[in-house]
Amino acid sequence: MEIGNGYQAIYGQLTDLTVSEGDTVKKGTTIGYIAQPTKYYSTEGTNLYFQVKENKTAVNPMLLLT
C-alpha cells in the first residue's frame, strides 16, 4: 500500500481482502482479515505481517507509528 512521501506499508497473512489495487483507503477502513496460520507460523498462531518501506528500503515501522 502506497502511503505517501515514498513510503509503502506491506501487509501479509491476510485473507478476504476488501480493497483492490488503485483503491483509496481511508483511516479506519478494513483492508482484509487475518488468515489462519500457515505451516510456517503454526507455533506463533494467527498473526499479521507488517512492514514499512521508504524508497523500497525496509525501515523500522515504529518510527512512523509513535
Side-chain angles (χ1 to χ4, degrees), residues 1-11 50-65:
M1 181 180 299
E2 299 291 333
I3 57 176
N5 297 324
Y7 287 95
Q8 292 179 309
I10 295 102
Y11 299 88
F50 179 68
Q51 181 183 42
V52 173
K53 290 186 175 183
E54 179 183 20
N55 299 316
K56 300 184 181 180
T57 301
V59 297
N60 182 350
M62 294 306 292
L63 298 174
L64 300 170
L65 298 174

Side-chain angles (χ1 to χ4, degrees), residues 14-34:
L14 292 176
T15 188
D16 299 327
L17 297 176
T18 61
V19 296
S20 299
E21 186 172 345
D23 288 354
T24 299
V25 178
K26 296 179 181 176
K27 181 180 178 179
T29 301
T30 299
I31 60 172
Y33 299 91
I34 304 296

